[in-house]
Amino acid sequence: MLRIEDLQLAAALAQAPSLSAAARALNVTPPALSMRLRKLEATLDVALAVRTARRLSLTPEGERFAREAATLLAGLEALPQSFQRNDRRLTGTLRIAAPFGYGRQRIAPMLARFARLHPSLGLQLDLRETPWPDRHDSDVVIHIGTVRDSSWVARTLAFNERWLCASPGYLRTHGTPSEPRDLLRHCCISIRENEEDVTLWHFQRPAAKATGKAKVLDATRRQKPRETVRIVPSYTSNDGTVAREWAEQGLGLVLRSEWDAAESIARGTLVRVLPDWALDSAPVTALVPTRQGRTARVQALLQFFEESLGKLPAQRR
């Protein structure tokens, strides 16, 4: 007979990169966890995981068992809430993972307001350089940019463009680019994040309205609507705030999310460069493991995020 500890073991193995990491998550020793895994495999009569000295990977049967285990655990966790007379009273703990910058400036203040609305609910905010796909045991993961993993359910919280920016002083000294290819003659600041190819910048010129003279302009733009530039960065950082501050200090051009650059542009410390060219957007997305068994507290948090971000002007999201 399976026990709840077996379900917790499978869920931990699915989230951990190694047996040692899974053992730490369950607060047991690696030898004890290895023994529990062998017993579970004997009970099911299937191999659930392939173990090496440094890595752990689940077999197809292990991945299926882990998914079913996560669904069952979520259902068990949500069961007490179904008996609460006051549906607005949330209990238990919510685990949220978010990127450093956005998490610190946007998610943390929203969670403080959410906590005041639900004083019986515990919150854990884990700020990471790359919260996705390093989701670990999170209930909700906040991600900025394209989601390439379809195993979790994505929910867009806010639209977020990427803007090319520079300080007024830099542009006075070095000139203002008029085409994307002009960037090859400028100092550029890049940000290492999410293992993306951060030196390849894609530009798309928005189509003009096909009325009057704009018809001619639109036809001209269609001839070369997209342009890709491989920049050679003069300065590189893995922290977006540092990169933006370097740009404000006149070191070069930086590609930043709208949510981070909007206030600097409003203050005049940065200005948009090539504003007629659109870059790949980076929507703010909440990711949750599954629709089935989703707890009331996760649902309440997602709704709160959407309402909070929906009340903000687009440039503040």
Side-chain angles (χ1 to χ4, degrees), residues 124-161:
Q124 295 179 4
L125 176 59
D126 188 6
L127 299 182
R128 300 174 179 272
E129 182 180 346
T130 55
W132 185 264
D134 299 332
R135 49 193 178 267
H136 296 275
D137 59 349
S138 303
D139 298 305
V140 179
V141 176
I142 304 300
H143 177 74
I144 298 179
T146 303
V147 178
R148 296 184 175 86
D149 190 326
S150 61
S151 64
W152 280 36
V153 179
R155 189 161 169 173
T156 300
L157 300 178
F159 297 102
N160 175 53
E161 296 181 356

mmCIF file of all heavy atoms in Angstrom, residues 124-161:
data_model
loop_
_atom_site.group_PDB
_atom_site.id
_atom_site.type_symbol
_atom_site.label_atom_id
_atom_site.label_comp_id
_atom_site.label_asym_id
_atom_site.label_seq_id
_atom_site.Cartn_x
_atom_site.Cartn_y
_atom_site.Cartn_z
ATOM 1 N N GLN A 124 5.916 32.408 1.533
ATOM 2 C CA GLN A 124 7.357 32.238 1.344
ATOM 3 C C GLN A 124 7.718 32.779 -0.034
ATOM 4 O O GLN A 124 7.225 32.275 -1.040
ATOM 5 C CB GLN A 124 7.770 30.765 1.448
ATOM 6 C CG GLN A 124 7.558 30.140 2.815
ATOM 7 C CD GLN A 124 7.954 28.673 2.849
ATOM 8 O OE1 GLN A 124 8.461 28.126 1.872
ATOM 9 N NE2 GLN A 124 7.697 28.025 3.966
ATOM 10 N N LEU A 125 8.558 33.803 -0.075
ATOM 11 C CA LEU A 125 8.996 34.375 -1.352
ATOM 12 C C LEU A 125 10.464 34.032 -1.556
ATOM 13 O O LEU A 125 11.317 34.401 -0.758
ATOM 14 C CB LEU A 125 8.807 35.898 -1.358
ATOM 15 C CG LEU A 125 9.319 36.630 -2.607
ATOM 16 C CD1 LEU A 125 8.626 36.119 -3.862
ATOM 17 C CD2 LEU A 125 9.133 38.132 -2.454
ATOM 18 N N ASP A 126 10.730 33.316 -2.628
ATOM 19 C CA ASP A 126 12.088 32.883 -2.950
ATOM 20 C C ASP A 126 12.535 33.625 -4.205
ATOM 21 O O ASP A 126 12.032 33.382 -5.297
ATOM 22 C CB ASP A 126 12.105 31.371 -3.189
ATOM 23 C CG ASP A 126 13.515 30.820 -3.327
ATOM 24 O OD1 ASP A 126 14.468 31.591 -3.130
ATOM 25 O OD2 ASP A 126 13.663 29.620 -3.633
ATOM 26 N N LEU A 127 13.466 34.570 -4.050
ATOM 27 C CA LEU A 127 13.980 35.328 -5.190
ATOM 28 C C LEU A 127 15.174 34.594 -5.783
ATOM 29 O O LEU A 127 16.104 34.225 -5.069
ATOM 30 C CB LEU A 127 14.373 36.745 -4.755
ATOM 31 C CG LEU A 127 13.231 37.592 -4.183
ATOM 32 C CD1 LEU A 127 13.734 38.986 -3.830
ATOM 33 C CD2 LEU A 127 12.059 37.680 -5.154
ATOM 34 N N ARG A 128 15.153 34.407 -7.091
ATOM 35 C CA ARG A 128 16.191 33.648 -7.786
ATOM 36 C C ARG A 128 16.621 34.385 -9.045
ATOM 37 O O ARG A 128 15.853 35.167 -9.608
ATOM 38 C CB ARG A 128 15.681 32.252 -8.179
ATOM 39 C CG ARG A 128 15.230 31.389 -7.017
ATOM 40 C CD ARG A 128 14.605 30.102 -7.524
ATOM 41 N NE ARG A 128 14.179 29.247 -6.438
ATOM 42 C CZ ARG A 128 14.963 28.350 -5.852
ATOM 43 N NH1 ARG A 128 16.202 28.190 -6.280
ATOM 44 N NH2 ARG A 128 14.525 27.609 -4.864
ATOM 45 N N GLU A 129 17.812 34.097 -9.478
ATOM 46 C CA GLU A 129 18.263 34.651 -10.756
ATOM 47 C C GLU A 129 17.442 34.066 -11.893
ATOM 48 O O GLU A 129 17.042 34.773 -12.821
ATOM 49 C CB GLU A 129 19.745 34.352 -10.964
ATOM 50 C CG GLU A 129 20.304 34.934 -12.253
ATOM 51 C CD GLU A 129 21.781 34.628 -12.430
ATOM 52 O OE1 GLU A 129 22.441 34.200 -11.460
ATOM 53 O OE2 GLU A 129 22.278 34.820 -13.555
ATOM 54 N N THR A 130 17.172 32.767 -11.831
ATOM 55 C CA THR A 130 16.355 32.103 -12.850
ATOM 56 C C THR A 130 15.327 31.225 -12.148
ATOM 57 O O THR A 130 15.532 30.019 -11.993
ATOM 58 C CB THR A 130 17.225 31.251 -13.796
ATOM 59 O OG1 THR A 130 18.012 30.331 -13.006
ATOM 60 C CG2 THR A 130 18.145 32.118 -14.613
ATOM 61 N N PRO A 131 14.203 31.796 -11.700
ATOM 62 C CA PRO A 131 13.194 30.983 -11.009
ATOM 63 C C PRO A 131 12.552 29.932 -11.897
ATOM 64 O O PRO A 131 12.005 28.953 -11.409
ATOM 65 C CB PRO A 131 12.171 32.023 -10.555
ATOM 66 C CG PRO A 131 12.351 33.179 -11.475
ATOM 67 C CD PRO A 131 13.813 33.215 -11.802
ATOM 68 N N TRP A 132 12.595 30.146 -13.196
ATOM 69 C CA TRP A 132 12.090 29.150 -14.145
ATOM 70 C C TRP A 132 13.209 28.770 -15.093
ATOM 71 O O TRP A 132 13.871 29.653 -15.628
ATOM 72 C CB TRP A 132 10.924 29.738 -14.949
ATOM 73 C CG TRP A 132 10.286 28.739 -15.860
ATOM 74 C CD1 TRP A 132 10.535 28.533 -17.181
ATOM 75 C CD2 TRP A 132 9.323 27.768 -15.484
ATOM 76 N NE1 TRP A 132 9.783 27.508 -17.661
ATOM 77 C CE2 TRP A 132 9.032 27.014 -16.636
ATOM 78 C CE3 TRP A 132 8.695 27.434 -14.267
ATOM 79 C CZ2 TRP A 132 8.118 25.965 -16.610
ATOM 80 C CZ3 TRP A 132 7.790 26.396 -14.265
ATOM 81 C CH2 TRP A 132 7.508 25.672 -15.433
ATOM 82 N N PRO A 133 13.547 27.470 -15.233
ATOM 83 C CA PRO A 133 12.783 26.319 -14.754
ATOM 84 C C PRO A 133 13.192 25.795 -13.376
ATOM 85 O O PRO A 133 12.760 24.711 -12.997
ATOM 86 C CB PRO A 133 13.089 25.275 -15.830
ATOM 87 C CG PRO A 133 14.502 25.575 -16.220
ATOM 88 C CD PRO A 133 14.631 27.078 -16.147
ATOM 89 N N ASP A 134 14.031 26.517 -12.618
ATOM 90 C CA ASP A 134 14.429 26.042 -11.283
ATOM 91 C C ASP A 134 13.303 26.284 -10.295
ATOM 92 O O ASP A 134 13.415 27.075 -9.366
ATOM 93 C CB ASP A 134 15.694 26.782 -10.824
ATOM 94 C CG ASP A 134 16.859 26.531 -11.756
ATOM 95 O OD1 ASP A 134 16.883 25.463 -12.381
ATOM 96 O OD2 ASP A 134 17.741 27.393 -11.847
ATOM 97 N N ARG A 135 12.188 25.586 -10.492
ATOM 98 C CA ARG A 135 10.964 25.880 -9.751
ATOM 99 C C ARG A 135 10.951 25.226 -8.374
ATOM 100 O O ARG A 135 10.264 25.668 -7.480
ATOM 101 C CB ARG A 135 9.754 25.427 -10.546
ATOM 102 C CG ARG A 135 9.864 24.002 -11.077
ATOM 103 C CD ARG A 135 8.788 23.731 -12.111
ATOM 104 N NE ARG A 135 8.897 22.396 -12.680
ATOM 105 C CZ ARG A 135 9.552 22.121 -13.784
ATOM 106 N NH1 ARG A 135 10.172 23.083 -14.413
ATOM 107 N NH2 ARG A 135 9.605 20.904 -14.249
ATOM 108 N N HIS A 136 11.661 24.113 -8.212
ATOM 109 C CA HIS A 136 11.740 23.392 -6.945
ATOM 110 C C HIS A 136 10.339 23.099 -6.410
ATOM 111 O O HIS A 136 9.510 22.556 -7.131
ATOM 112 C CB HIS A 136 12.611 24.171 -5.960
ATOM 113 C CG HIS A 136 14.037 24.272 -6.422
ATOM 114 N ND1 HIS A 136 14.962 23.297 -6.178
ATOM 115 C CD2 HIS A 136 14.680 25.211 -7.143
ATOM 116 C CE1 HIS A 136 16.127 23.626 -6.708
ATOM 117 N NE2 HIS A 136 15.974 24.796 -7.311
ATOM 118 N N ASP A 137 10.025 23.487 -5.174
ATOM 119 C CA ASP A 137 8.731 23.119 -4.601
ATOM 120 C C ASP A 137 7.772 24.303 -4.577
ATOM 121 O O ASP A 137 6.894 24.383 -3.717
ATOM 122 C CB ASP A 137 8.913 22.566 -3.185
ATOM 123 C CG ASP A 137 9.592 23.567 -2.261
ATOM 124 O OD1 ASP A 137 10.099 24.591 -2.759
ATOM 125 O OD2 ASP A 137 9.608 23.326 -1.038
ATOM 126 N N SER A 138 7.909 25.224 -5.502
ATOM 127 C CA SER A 138 7.070 26.424 -5.517
ATOM 128 C C SER A 138 5.639 26.089 -5.927
ATOM 129 O O SER A 138 5.391 25.183 -6.728
ATOM 130 C CB SER A 138 7.639 27.465 -6.476
ATOM 131 O OG SER A 138 8.966 27.787 -6.135
ATOM 132 N N ASP A 139 4.695 26.836 -5.354
ATOM 133 C CA ASP A 139 3.299 26.735 -5.779
ATOM 134 C C ASP A 139 3.040 27.626 -6.994
ATOM 135 O O ASP A 139 2.229 27.297 -7.852
ATOM 136 C CB ASP A 139 2.367 27.169 -4.644
ATOM 137 C CG ASP A 139 2.497 26.278 -3.421
ATOM 138 O OD1 ASP A 139 2.334 25.063 -3.563
ATOM 139 O OD2 ASP A 139 2.772 26.801 -2.330
ATOM 140 N N VAL A 140 3.712 28.784 -7.038
ATOM 141 C CA VAL A 140 3.562 29.745 -8.129
ATOM 142 C C VAL A 140 4.949 30.264 -8.491
ATOM 143 O O VAL A 140 5.734 30.617 -7.608
ATOM 144 C CB VAL A 140 2.653 30.928 -7.733
ATOM 145 C CG1 VAL A 140 2.534 31.921 -8.881
ATOM 146 C CG2 VAL A 140 1.278 30.438 -7.298
ATOM 147 N N VAL A 141 5.243 30.291 -9.769
ATOM 148 C CA VAL A 141 6.516 30.830 -10.257
ATOM 149 C C VAL A 141 6.216 32.032 -11.147
ATOM 150 O O VAL A 141 5.424 31.931 -12.091
ATOM 151 C CB VAL A 141 7.329 29.781 -11.043
ATOM 152 C CG1 VAL A 141 8.595 30.406 -11.615
ATOM 153 C CG2 VAL A 141 7.686 28.605 -10.152
ATOM 154 N N ILE A 142 6.836 33.161 -10.834
ATOM 155 C CA ILE A 142 6.698 34.358 -11.670
ATOM 156 C C ILE A 142 7.845 34.361 -12.672
ATOM 157 O O ILE A 142 9.012 34.276 -12.295
ATOM 158 C CB ILE A 142 6.721 35.636 -10.819
ATOM 159 C CG1 ILE A 142 5.642 35.583 -9.743
ATOM 160 C CG2 ILE A 142 6.551 36.867 -11.701
ATOM 161 C CD1 ILE A 142 4.233 35.450 -10.272
ATOM 162 N N HIS A 143 7.499 34.462 -13.930
ATOM 163 C CA HIS A 143 8.498 34.405 -15.007
ATOM 164 C C HIS A 143 8.289 35.589 -15.937
ATOM 165 O O HIS A 143 7.143 35.972 -16.218
ATOM 166 C CB HIS A 143 8.354 33.096 -15.778
ATOM 167 C CG HIS A 143 9.273 32.962 -16.948
ATOM 168 N ND1 HIS A 143 10.620 32.714 -16.810
ATOM 169 C CD2 HIS A 143 9.043 33.062 -18.286
ATOM 170 C CE1 HIS A 143 11.174 32.651 -18.008
ATOM 171 N NE2 HIS A 143 10.247 32.860 -18.917
ATOM 172 N N ILE A 144 9.374 36.163 -16.414
ATOM 173 C CA ILE A 144 9.304 37.262 -17.372
ATOM 174 C C ILE A 144 9.940 36.800 -18.675
ATOM 175 O O ILE A 144 11.118 36.445 -18.697
ATOM 176 C CB ILE A 144 10.006 38.522 -16.837
ATOM 177 C CG1 ILE A 144 9.309 39.006 -15.562
ATOM 178 C CG2 ILE A 144 10.022 39.628 -17.880
ATOM 179 C CD1 ILE A 144 9.945 40.223 -14.942
ATOM 180 N N GLY A 145 9.157 36.790 -19.723
ATOM 181 C CA GLY A 145 9.670 36.354 -21.013
ATOM 182 C C GLY A 145 8.905 35.145 -21.530
ATOM 183 O O GLY A 145 7.878 34.732 -20.984
ATOM 184 N N THR A 146 9.421 34.559 -22.603
ATOM 185 C CA THR A 146 8.774 33.429 -23.245
ATOM 186 C C THR A 146 8.905 32.177 -22.396
ATOM 187 O O THR A 146 9.966 31.900 -21.850
ATOM 188 C CB THR A 146 9.397 33.176 -24.628
ATOM 189 O OG1 THR A 146 9.293 34.371 -25.408
ATOM 190 C CG2 THR A 146 8.681 32.049 -25.355
ATOM 191 N N VAL A 147 7.830 31.414 -22.284
ATOM 192 C CA VAL A 147 7.829 30.149 -21.549
ATOM 193 C C VAL A 147 8.018 29.018 -22.544
ATOM 194 O O VAL A 147 7.220 28.859 -23.467
ATOM 195 C CB VAL A 147 6.519 29.966 -20.768
ATOM 196 C CG1 VAL A 147 6.525 28.628 -20.045
ATOM 197 C CG2 VAL A 147 6.327 31.102 -19.782
ATOM 198 N N ARG A 148 9.061 28.239 -22.361
ATOM 199 C CA ARG A 148 9.363 27.160 -23.311
ATOM 200 C C ARG A 148 9.031 25.786 -22.750
ATOM 201 O O ARG A 148 9.288 24.781 -23.384
ATOM 202 C CB ARG A 148 10.852 27.212 -23.695
ATOM 203 C CG ARG A 148 11.245 28.482 -24.434
ATOM 204 C CD ARG A 148 12.696 28.441 -24.872
ATOM 205 N NE ARG A 148 13.039 29.591 -25.681
ATOM 206 C CZ ARG A 148 13.436 30.756 -25.199
ATOM 207 N NH1 ARG A 148 13.530 30.916 -23.884
ATOM 208 N NH2 ARG A 148 13.730 31.767 -25.994
ATOM 209 N N ASP A 149 8.479 25.722 -21.557
ATOM 210 C CA ASP A 149 8.128 24.450 -20.934
ATOM 211 C C ASP A 149 6.619 24.398 -20.799
ATOM 212 O O ASP A 149 6.030 25.265 -20.147
ATOM 213 C CB ASP A 149 8.797 24.338 -19.554
ATOM 214 C CG ASP A 149 8.666 22.944 -18.971
ATOM 215 O OD1 ASP A 149 7.633 22.303 -19.222
ATOM 216 O OD2 ASP A 149 9.580 22.497 -18.262
ATOM 217 N N SER A 150 5.989 23.414 -21.420
ATOM 218 C CA SER A 150 4.536 23.366 -21.423
ATOM 219 C C SER A 150 3.964 22.493 -20.318
ATOM 220 O O SER A 150 2.758 22.284 -20.256
ATOM 221 C CB SER A 150 4.044 22.847 -22.783
ATOM 222 O OG SER A 150 4.538 21.536 -23.021
ATOM 223 N N SER A 151 4.795 21.935 -19.444
ATOM 224 C CA SER A 151 4.282 21.043 -18.416
ATOM 225 C C SER A 151 3.548 21.795 -17.320
ATOM 226 O O SER A 151 2.722 21.226 -16.616
ATOM 227 C CB SER A 151 5.430 20.222 -17.806
ATOM 228 O OG SER A 151 6.357 21.065 -17.143
ATOM 229 N N TRP A 152 3.843 23.086 -17.139
ATOM 230 C CA TRP A 152 3.116 23.908 -16.177
ATOM 231 C C TRP A 152 2.135 24.808 -16.919
ATOM 232 O O TRP A 152 2.321 25.126 -18.090
ATOM 233 C CB TRP A 152 4.089 24.758 -15.361
ATOM 234 C CG TRP A 152 4.757 23.994 -14.242
ATOM 235 C CD1 TRP A 152 5.146 22.692 -14.261
ATOM 236 C CD2 TRP A 152 5.120 24.497 -12.952
ATOM 237 N NE1 TRP A 152 5.728 22.346 -13.071
ATOM 238 C CE2 TRP A 152 5.731 23.428 -12.248
ATOM 239 C CE3 TRP A 152 4.999 25.737 -12.333
ATOM 240 C CZ2 TRP A 152 6.198 23.571 -10.949
ATOM 241 C CZ3 TRP A 152 5.472 25.883 -11.036
ATOM 242 C CH2 TRP A 152 6.057 24.810 -10.353
ATOM 243 N N VAL A 153 1.102 25.234 -16.222
ATOM 244 C CA VAL A 153 0.076 26.093 -16.816
ATOM 245 C C VAL A 153 0.486 27.551 -16.655
ATOM 246 O O VAL A 153 0.778 27.997 -15.544
ATOM 247 C CB VAL A 153 -1.295 25.850 -16.153
ATOM 248 C CG1 VAL A 153 -2.346 26.761 -16.762
ATOM 249 C CG2 VAL A 153 -1.703 24.383 -16.303
ATOM 250 N N ALA A 154 0.533 28.278 -17.765
ATOM 251 C CA ALA A 154 0.961 29.677 -17.748
ATOM 252 C C ALA A 154 -0.247 30.597 -17.761
ATOM 253 O O ALA A 154 -1.228 30.344 -18.468
ATOM 254 C CB ALA A 154 1.851 29.970 -18.958
ATOM 255 N N ARG A 155 -0.143 31.683 -16.996
ATOM 256 C CA ARG A 155 -1.220 32.679 -16.899
ATOM 257 C C ARG A 155 -0.583 34.062 -16.990
ATOM 258 O O ARG A 155 0.200 34.443 -16.115
ATOM 259 C CB ARG A 155 -1.957 32.505 -15.582
ATOM 260 C CG ARG A 155 -3.231 33.310 -15.426
ATOM 261 C CD ARG A 155 -4.053 32.678 -14.324
ATOM 262 N NE ARG A 155 -5.178 33.464 -13.889
ATOM 263 C CZ ARG A 155 -6.101 33.032 -13.031
ATOM 264 N NH1 ARG A 155 -5.993 31.811 -12.543
ATOM 265 N NH2 ARG A 155 -7.097 33.800 -12.672
ATOM 266 N N THR A 156 -0.884 34.785 -18.054
ATOM 267 C CA THR A 156 -0.286 36.099 -18.253
ATOM 268 C C THR A 156 -0.869 37.098 -17.259
ATOM 269 O O THR A 156 -2.081 37.266 -17.165
ATOM 270 C CB THR A 156 -0.523 36.593 -19.685
ATOM 271 O OG1 THR A 156 0.068 35.665 -20.602
ATOM 272 C CG2 THR A 156 0.110 37.966 -19.894
ATOM 273 N N LEU A 157 0.010 37.766 -16.519
ATOM 274 C CA LEU A 157 -0.402 38.762 -15.533
ATOM 275 C C LEU A 157 -0.325 40.182 -16.088
ATOM 276 O O LEU A 157 -1.139 41.033 -15.739
ATOM 277 C CB LEU A 157 0.477 38.659 -14.282
ATOM 278 C CG LEU A 157 0.455 37.320 -13.540
ATOM 279 C CD1 LEU A 157 1.406 37.374 -12.351
ATOM 280 C CD2 LEU A 157 -0.948 36.960 -13.085
ATOM 281 N N ALA A 158 0.674 40.449 -16.911
ATOM 282 C CA ALA A 158 0.840 41.807 -17.449
ATOM 283 C C ALA A 158 1.661 41.727 -18.727
ATOM 284 O O ALA A 158 2.563 40.901 -18.858
ATOM 285 C CB ALA A 158 1.538 42.709 -16.430
ATOM 286 N N PHE A 159 1.328 42.584 -19.669
ATOM 287 C CA PHE A 159 2.129 42.702 -20.881
ATOM 288 C C PHE A 159 3.343 43.568 -20.575
ATOM 289 O O PHE A 159 3.288 44.493 -19.760
ATOM 290 C CB PHE A 159 1.308 43.293 -22.017
ATOM 291 C CG PHE A 159 0.156 42.413 -22.412
ATOM 292 C CD1 PHE A 159 -1.136 42.700 -22.005
ATOM 293 C CD2 PHE A 159 0.372 41.280 -23.182
ATOM 294 C CE1 PHE A 159 -2.201 41.894 -22.352
ATOM 295 C CE2 PHE A 159 -0.686 40.455 -23.534
ATOM 296 C CZ PHE A 159 -1.972 40.760 -23.119
ATOM 297 N N ASN A 160 4.442 43.256 -21.213
ATOM 298 C CA ASN A 160 5.692 43.925 -20.877
ATOM 299 C C ASN A 160 6.584 43.974 -22.116
ATOM 300 O O ASN A 160 7.062 42.935 -22.571
ATOM 301 C CB ASN A 160 6.381 43.179 -19.730
ATOM 302 C CG ASN A 160 7.748 43.740 -19.403
ATOM 303 O OD1 ASN A 160 7.891 44.930 -19.173
ATOM 304 N ND2 ASN A 160 8.755 42.888 -19.399
ATOM 305 N N GLU A 161 6.779 45.161 -22.664
ATOM 306 C CA GLU A 161 7.652 45.304 -23.822
ATOM 307 C C GLU A 161 9.106 45.407 -23.381
ATOM 308 O O GLU A 161 9.393 45.651 -22.209
ATOM 309 C CB GLU A 161 7.278 46.566 -24.617
ATOM 310 C CG GLU A 161 5.891 46.529 -25.235
ATOM 311 C CD GLU A 161 5.596 47.791 -26.017
ATOM 312 O OE1 GLU A 161 6.447 48.714 -26.004
ATOM 313 O OE2 GLU A 161 4.525 47.851 -26.635
#
